[in-house]
Amino acid sequence: MKKTNLSKKTFYITTPIYYVNDVPHIGHAYTTIAADVIARYKRLSGYDVLFSTGTDEHGQKIVRSAEKANLTPQELADQVVIKFKDLWPLLNIRYDDFIRTTEVRHIEVVKGLLNKLYDKDDIYKGEYEGWYCVPCETFWTETQLTDKTCPNCGRKIEKIKEESYFFKMSKYQDQLLSYIEKNPQCIQPEARKNEIISFVKSGLKDQSITRTKKSLQWGIDLPFDNNHVVYVWYDALINYLTVAGYRINEEIFKKYWPADIHLVGKDILRFHTVIWFTMLMAAGIESPRMVFAHGWWTIEGEKMSKSKGNVVDPYEMVDEFGADVFRYFLMREVSFGQDGNFSKKLLVQRINYDLANDLGNLVSRTIAMINQFFNKKVPQPAEQKEKTDVDLKDLALNTIKEYNIHMNNLSLSRALETIWQFIRRTNKYIDQTEPWILGREKTQQERLSTILYNLAESLRLTTILIYPFMPVKAKEIWRQLGLESDLDKIKLEEEAHWGHLKPGTLVKPGRVIFPRVDIKRKVNKKIKENNNSL
Ligand code: MSP
């Protein structure tokens, strides 16, 4: 299954822009980490990548939170945005642009686009009468409701009746359906695409896109009627165009648009397909190549919520376990697109088994033996004739091939699984060939050289493949292998070949890369800390 157009050498990937009414949690971290993994993989594959994230700062929800905190909405946004901006580097996220919807560059683009749609009569003035869910910032019609709660989040909704401008979304229903049909990759995963198709087939209504200033001031002024502000979703979606330079820099825009992937949570897929695609159609702008909806995390089997007090704080995760292992867990534990369950016990198991035992041991054994038997110098291998050697090399090359397929399909956990099969096979190769015994015999030097070269080479390839997932740990292994090139800059095409490692490279034995975690000790420590603070 091909998901992205690989003939295009630029690659534009986005995360949703996050509301500033709340501090970052595992949900925000998950999307942003996944986007970072994909962006790093694409850079590694030679693409010119634009990776954007940011914050969604307008709307009723932000006003309410600001009131509670006794701040203006802008003050609240200015405070909370720091929590996001500070978190991303801690999670080893390397984005290219961070957009805030209160920035002038964005406000101008929103106004320009709305003027365009107004001029072509795709926006008209009417009256909105219906229900509004503030937490979801979503309008609902009577027919969509079974009771007086939001069909999306189940919370109480509010009745609104006011003058409003509407976007003629219904006009684009057929065009949208035929677009989805002709571009089967544009909404993924498949099951979610089918949900969207049924929704569109059930009939699109025109979309209310403004609120009167009497009911809401915190938004972008409607350029052709000063008594209205733009509905927050209508403003927010346009961020993807702003980042790509729409109406700002034509050259940049041509280079990066259409976006290759909008990564979103399953709850906001409808906005990103139905509203977004029809808006773009009306404006005569190409739709994104793919909107991919990932699943949701439950926490220790329960829905995450503030009232339950089970919200997973990414800052704490970094502090307690480290960024890369947290990244590894989130990417490995569930198949991308499915829901998953977060539990510390599972996280610790992954750290101890996959990372400390499998990969960590491979690193320490390989480096230690090259240190001990060849005085840190990667030895020159002999001609590779033994079956075990040929098998290892074949598996390495096959692993790279499979990895590329999975990464391009966004099967991120399967890509990791494939790498780990290779890591386990390499560990088995050590057990089979018993280099520590050969090391004691003078006549076995040539065989030992070949084995240790093969191990170092397998480890070098593994390190490149894990880099998008665990960039900092990969760099540590790279350094211990004595490699000096910058992993942020290397290209798969040049590096992912067997035999690229130069004999004579000096390894640098260092500290344990993945220390084991003792969950009981951690729990006891937490209890002690809590007792101390009582
Ligand atoms: N501001 C809008 C997006 C506008 S994009 C043009 C928004 N913001 S949000 O802050 O609520 O975004 C939350 C993101 O985190 C969504 O993608 C949502 O799916 C995701 N998650 C929230 N809770 C989650 C989990 N428990 N698990 C995984 N992701 C979850 O929506």
Side-chain angles (χ1 to χ4, degrees):
M1 188 175 56
K2 192 168 147 237
K3 283 190 173 159
T4 50
N5 180 351
L6 294 179
S7 63
K8 185 179 153 207
K9 267 299 179 185
T10 61
F11 188 81
Y12 178 26
I13 183 164
T14 67
T15 75
I17 47 171
Y18 305 115
Y19 287 129
V20 285
N21 67 317
D22 202 359
V23 292
H25 57 60
I26 187 175
H28 306 111
Y30 183 51
T31 328
T32 316
I33 290 169
D36 186 65
V37 169
I38 299 165
R40 284 179 189 271
Y41 170 71
K42 287 290 174 183
R43 289 190 202 106
L44 194 61
S45 306
Y47 285 76
D48 172 343
V49 172
L50 173 60
F51 165 23
S52 78
T53 187
T55 41
D56 190 354
E57 305 189 352
H58 292 122
Q60 191 77 55
K61 198 174 158 108
I62 311 300
V63 172
R64 302 239 168 122
S65 296
E67 275 164 5
K68 270 193 211 142
N70 215 2
L71 296 168
T72 65
Q74 186 67 59
E75 282 166 351
L76 177 75
D78 290 346
Q79 283 183 11
V80 178
V81 73
I82 296 170
K83 298 261 194 259
F84 284 95
K85 281 194 166 170
D86 284 353
L87 176 64
W88 301 142
L90 287 180
L91 282 172
N92 302 332
I93 307 278
R94 183 181 150 203
Y95 56 77
D96 300 295
D97 198 350
F98 189 105
I99 180 160
R100 301 181 60 181
T101 51
T102 47
E103 284 173 55
V104 177
R105 62 167 170 159
H106 177 64
I107 294 169
E108 291 305 313
V109 173
V110 171
K111 287 184 174 173
L113 194 88
L114 284 165
N115 272 331
K116 188 169 177 174
L117 301 194
Y118 190 59
D119 289 346
K120 73 178 279 236
D121 263 348
D122 269 347
I123 292 177
Y124 63 90
K125 195 183 201 172
E127 186 171 66
Y128 180 79
E129 187 173 0
W131 299 87
Y132 195 69
C133 173
V134 174
C136 292
E137 299 278 20
T138 307
F139 294 101
W140 298 102
T141 56
E142 202 79 47
T143 52
Q144 290 170 311
L145 306 174
T146 42
D147 53 23
K148 297 278 178 305
T149 58
C150 169
N152 194 28
C153 71
R155 278 176 278 206
K156 247 181 73 193
I157 46 180
E158 294 169 17
K159 182 134 202 180
I160 312 182
K161 183 178 175 181
E162 62 177 25
E163 181 186 281
S164 176
Y165 283 83
F166 286 81
F167 164 55
K168 286 185 186 164
M169 195 157 77
S170 57
K171 180 175 150 188
Y172 293 95
Q173 176 168 334
D174 293 342
Q175 197 179 329
L176 177 60
L177 282 171
S178 94
Y179 180 81
I180 299 173
E181 203 179 302
K182 284 197 200 108
N183 297 277
Q185 299 295 321
C186 73
I187 306 172
Q188 287 295 319
E190 216 48 34
R192 302 240 171 256
K193 178 173 74 181
N194 295 333
E195 284 168 22
I196 297 290
I197 292 175
S198 325
F199 174 78
V200 179
K201 281 190 175 156
S202 73
L204 290 188
K205 301 237 160 35
D206 288 349
Q207 172 76 39
S208 166
I209 59 160
T210 68
R211 303 288 306 272
T212 62
K213 280 202 181 153
K214 256 187 264 145
S215 60
L216 176 70
Q217 280 108 46
W218 185 237
I220 296 177
D221 281 349
L222 194 66
F224 42 85
D225 185 342
N226 210 22
N227 295 318
H228 287 253
V229 295
V230 180
Y231 165 46
V232 61
W233 265 102
Y234 219 84
D235 144 10
L237 288 163
I238 296 172
N239 92 83
Y240 303 128
L241 289 177
T242 310
V243 169
Y246 178 68
R247 299 173 72 100
I248 303 169
N249 185 329
E250 206 42 42
E251 215 175 295
I252 300 271
F253 187 63
K254 269 207 202 116
K255 187 169 164 195
Y256 291 110
W257 195 265
D260 292 271
I261 303 179
H262 289 323
L263 216 54
V264 300
K266 61 180 182 180
D267 54 318
I268 56 173
L269 181 64
R270 206 185 276 177
F271 295 97
H272 279 84
T273 50
V274 183
I275 299 187
W276 186 221
F277 284 19
T278 53
M279 270 167 81
L280 289 168
M281 281 168 188
I285 302 170
E286 228 180 301
S287 287
R289 295 227 157 93
M290 184 195 293
V291 181
F292 185 95
H294 65 68
W296 269 44
W297 288 91
T298 49
I299 312 302
E300 311 284 353
E302 290 197 51
K303 199 172 168 208
M304 181 169 78
S305 79
K306 268 194 202 159
S307 53
K308 281 202 189 105
N310 65 352
V311 177
V312 175
D313 175 353
Y315 278 100
E316 265 176 33
M317 289 298 119
V318 172
D319 205 36
E320 207 172 337
F321 300 100
D324 276 3
V325 299
F326 180 55
R327 287 168 66 110
Y328 173 78
F329 173 80
L330 294 181
M331 295 299 105
R332 176 66 187 83
E333 191 62 20
V334 294
S335 144
F336 201 46
Q338 305 286 315
D339 291 336
N341 180 39
F342 178 86
S343 111
K344 272 200 185 172
K345 196 170 149 216
L346 292 174
L347 170 59
V348 169
Q349 272 171 11
R350 288 266 176 218
I351 296 175
N352 289 344
Y353 295 126
D354 300 4
L355 299 177
N357 275 7
D358 295 340
L359 179 55
N361 270 339
L362 178 63
V363 176
S364 56
R365 294 206 282 177
T366 304
I367 308 275
M369 287 190 287
I370 294 175
N371 181 23
Q372 185 185 345
F373 299 127
F374 292 98
N375 199 17
K376 298 197 174 68
K377 246 190 211 165
V378 173
Q380 174 79 43
E383 204 188 330
Q384 312 254 351
K385 277 188 269 169
E386 298 222 5
K387 186 171 180 316
T388 41
D389 302 346
V390 176
D391 284 353
L392 187 72
K393 176 187 164 185
D394 287 351
L395 185 62
L397 297 179
N398 212 36
T399 300
I400 297 167
K401 226 190 267 163
E402 296 242 322
Y403 167 85
N404 280 320
I405 294 172
H406 294 320
M407 293 300 279
N408 283 314
N409 282 344
L410 305 187
S411 303
L412 306 178
S413 63
R414 287 194 68 190
L416 284 171
E417 221 176 294
T418 308
I419 305 171
W420 253 257
Q421 274 163 10
F422 177 59
I423 293 174
R424 290 191 188 112
R425 179 66 190 81
T426 314
N427 274 324
K428 206 165 137 207
Y429 175 83
I430 305 183
D431 300 338
Q432 282 170 341
T433 55
E434 300 182 316
W436 58 91
I437 294 179
L438 302 176
R440 289 187 225 128
E441 298 176 28
K442 282 266 174 316
T443 54
Q444 295 290 345
Q445 286 303 296
E446 193 177 289
R447 181 76 195 118
L448 182 63
S449 302
T450 305
I451 293 166
L452 290 189
Y453 180 86
N454 288 348
L455 285 177
E457 181 59 341
S458 299
L459 186 56
R460 184 186 69 85
L461 291 170
T462 300
T463 308
I464 297 172
L465 304 188
I466 64 163
Y467 158 82
F469 296 91
M470 294 187 281
V472 171
K473 293 291 184 190
K475 283 179 191 173
E476 278 175 44
I477 303 173
W478 201 247
R479 203 192 58 80
Q480 291 198 13
L481 269 173
L483 299 168
E484 279 162 6
S485 50
D486 183 352
L487 267 180
D488 287 336
K489 299 209 175 98
I490 67 158
K491 299 284 169 266
L492 263 182
E493 211 177 60
E494 290 154 20
E495 295 271 348
H497 305 289
W498 186 269
H500 202 77
L501 176 64
K502 280 202 191 74
T505 304
L506 280 179
V507 300
K508 297 194 180 72
R511 63 193 170 96
V512 174
I513 308 256
F514 297 107
R516 291 182 67 82
V517 176
D518 182 349
I519 186 81
K520 284 199 205 98
R521 225 191 61 220
K522 275 211 180 286
V523 172
N524 289 338
K525 195 173 147 226
K526 261 258 140 30
I527 294 171
K528 241 196 224 153
E529 276 168 15
N530 288 345
N531 286 344
N532 287 344
S533 63
L534 287 177

